[in-house]
Amino acid sequence: LKRMVERSRNGDRLTMRGTCAGQVVIASDIVITGRGTQPTITGARRTRVVHVKRGARAVLEGLYVQRGRTWNGAGIRNAGRLTLRNDI
């Protein structure tokens, strides 16, 4: 997922299955949709889970966001525009 997000362009729609460990940095206008049983983005208690950069617009749908760790916003850091739909 991290590589797909890094290579994404404005308007891309990405589908995630399973588990992604480590911080996902979003710098473009994208939609990430979880499919299957419990699609999870985890910080593994070592890092933030999602960082939406300034100027980016992101939609996260149907994802579990868990086990983030940092000194300022362990789950999600949003410096852009973020919409959450059916996320836990």
Side-chain angles (χ1 to χ4, degrees), residues 15-50:
T15 300
M16 185 200 151
R17 297 178 193 281
T19 299
C20 173
Q23 180 174 230
V24 175
V25 178
I26 300 171
S28 56
D29 300 349
I30 63 172
V31 176
I32 302 173
T33 302
R35 295 279 187 242
T37 304
Q38 220 169 350
T40 303
I41 304 174
T42 178
R45 293 191 172 105
R46 291 188 309 252
T47 185
R48 175 178 291 115
V49 182
V50 176

Side-chain angles (χ1 to χ4, degrees), residues 7 33 35 46 48 57 59-60 64 72-73 77 82:
R7 295 176 181 165
T33 302
R35 295 279 187 242
R46 291 188 309 252
R48 175 178 291 115
R57 290 185 297 175
V59 177
L60 303 179
Y64 288 76
N72 67 344
R77 181 172 185 184
L82 175 64

